[in-house]
Every structure is written in C-alpha cells, then in structure tokens.
Amino acid sequence: GRLLSQFGIETPQFALHEHNEKDVVDALVERLLGGASIALVSDAGTPLVSDPGYRLVLAAHRAGVPVSPLPGPSAAIAALSVAGLPTDRFCFEGFLPARPKARRDRLARLRSEPRTMIFYASVHRVQDVIADCDDAFGSGRPAFIGRELTKRHEQATSAPLGELRGMVEDGRIPAKGEFVLVVGGSEAPEKSSEALSEDRLLTALSAALPASKAAAVAAAVTGKPRAELYRRLLEL
C-alpha cells in the first residue's frame, strides 16, 4: 500500500483476522459485486493456510465473484487457498493410480477421511478421476477444480462433485492443461456403528475361515467390496 501510494493510487487496507472475519465478509462481497478488486494478502505465507480468509473466499464463490490465486509454492497450495473448503487440516494425495481398479480402491479407503483432500489429475485422466471421486464420495460432496491455475486460461470452479463431473463431461471445464482437484472431507464419525458391526463380523468369520473366505462371506452379507473388507480384516 505504501509503495502504490507514491504513485497516487489509493489502497484502503484493514486487518482480517479470525475474530472479525464473520462480521466483514458481507461488506467485502458487496464491494466485489460493485466492481471493486480486493487482494487478500498474508504476512506469513500463502493466505488461508493456517490463516483467516476461508469464509471470505467461500462467500465470493457463492456470490459468483471470480477468485484467483497468485503463484505460490505449489499448485496444491494455490488451489487450496481458493477452493473455499476448510484449510485447518488437509492431506495431499497427489496423482491417483492410473489403473481404474487401483484408483477406485484408493478412493474407497479415503471415503471416511475427515480432512480436505487434494489430488492432481492429468489431462488424459481428469474425466475418469472426477467420475470415480463422484462415485466414491457422493455427488453432494463439496469440491473444487482448478485448471491451469495462475496461467492465461485459468479456470477455478467450486461446486459439488456431481456438478463438476457434469461440467467436465460436457466440456464446460475442457480437458486441456493441468488440473488440481480439492474435495471436502467426510463429516461422518470416524468410527460409525456400522463399521463396528463390520469389524465384529470380520473378526467372528476369521476365527473359523481363511481371511480371503471370511472377506468374501462378509462382502455377501454387507454388500461392501470384498477387497476393502479383506484389507480391513488384515488391519484387525
């Protein structure tokens, strides 16, 4: 601000912190809708990563205001900073396996992950990755996809997974460039009563049957994938 003021450019500033963010978001969004440009700047690294700003970014998305990141230390952090998803805890999963079965198995293990998840997707597999995430996590799971972030043809879209899947399939999000997918974590309890019942079933079956047979019987009873139940039995 001090540098720009030397050239006669007014840059009103104020501090945004965790105690005032709820109160000032509406006023800031009104200014954005009125044509103003606002820069969210942190003095301790990338904004929103252990810093306030999540509510403001989410409100801007909901109001249809474009939100664009400045280049950061990585595409994952740049995407996370504008995704409008919780940033207090997140995990980076990188590129998912290329083989469909291995990819779906990985996503099945992440179904109950409570943290925000970050994935990379190549242009050749982005449609399959979005479709598999939609199937694994559900169409209503909040998500964000960043295409060509910080580049000329940047596209940043925040929407439930089912909507993002449709946008990729019909070309509204074209299969061109580099992609980062950010998916909201599960809100379900880490250990549900259903999971506890499955554990008891697996434990009882394994006392009388080989592990592979026990998993097959449990899959027939619960409807869950045999491979997923087999891995859980090995953990138990």
Side-chain angles (χ1 to χ4, degrees):
R2 290 190 296 272
L3 177 61
L4 292 176
S5 65
Q6 294 176 10
F7 297 93
I9 301 174
E10 294 297 325
T11 56
Q13 302 176 40
F14 68 94
L16 178 74
H17 50 75
E18 60 181 332
H19 302 297
N20 73 355
E21 188 176 1
K22 284 185 179 179
D23 299 327
V24 304
V25 161
D26 289 344
L28 291 174
V29 170
E30 284 184 16
R31 291 181 59 186
L32 288 166
L33 292 173
S37 294
I38 294 177
L40 177 61
V41 182
S42 170
D43 61 357
T46 301
L48 271 81
V49 180
S50 297
D51 266 334
Y54 155 65
R55 292 184 181 89
L56 175 59
V57 170
L58 178 58
H61 278 305
R62 288 176 172 171
V65 176
V67 181
S68 178
L70 293 175
S74 72
I77 298 302
L80 183 67
S81 71
V82 293
L85 292 166
T87 58
D88 54 336
R89 295 179 66 217
F90 60 89
C91 59
F92 176 63
E93 290 292 323
F95 287 97
L96 289 165
R99 291 179 298 173
K101 184 179 183 305
R103 183 170 60 245
R104 291 164 190 158
D105 286 347
R106 171 84 66 82
L107 291 171
R109 293 198 295 272
L110 293 170
R111 191 175 289 128
S112 299
E113 171 57 58
R115 297 171 294 178
T116 297
M117 297 169 282
I118 306 172
F119 305 92
Y120 284 162
S122 70
V123 64
H124 306 293
R125 297 195 180 96
V126 62
Q127 186 167 327
D128 292 336
V129 167
I130 291 285
D132 287 344
C133 285
D134 182 26
D135 292 338
F137 303 133
S139 296
R141 184 75 72 92
F144 166 91
I145 190 165
R147 184 178 74 86
E148 293 287 271
L149 290 180
T150 77
K151 300 177 183 177
R152 180 178 180 182
H153 299 292
E154 175 184 291
Q155 187 174 12
T157 308
S158 174
L161 273 172
E163 292 184 26
L164 289 180
R165 180 177 185 173
M167 291 178 185
V168 170
E169 289 177 349
D170 67 17
R172 282 175 288 170
I173 299 177
K176 297 178 180 179
E178 299 174 342
F179 294 84
V180 185
L181 176 65
V182 187
V183 180
S186 172
E187 296 182 358
E190 292 187 12
K191 197 67 174 179
S192 66
S193 58
E194 179 184 1
L196 291 171
S197 297
E198 289 173 6
D199 286 355
R200 286 194 290 269
L201 175 62
L202 287 169
T203 301
L205 289 171
S206 65
L209 298 170
S212 58
K213 184 65 175 177
V217 174
V221 172
T222 64
K224 293 289 185 68
R226 186 197 66 80
E228 180 180 340
L229 293 170
Y230 181 77
R231 283 193 298 270
R232 179 57 184 159
L233 179 55
L234 295 182
E235 292 172 0
L236 293 170

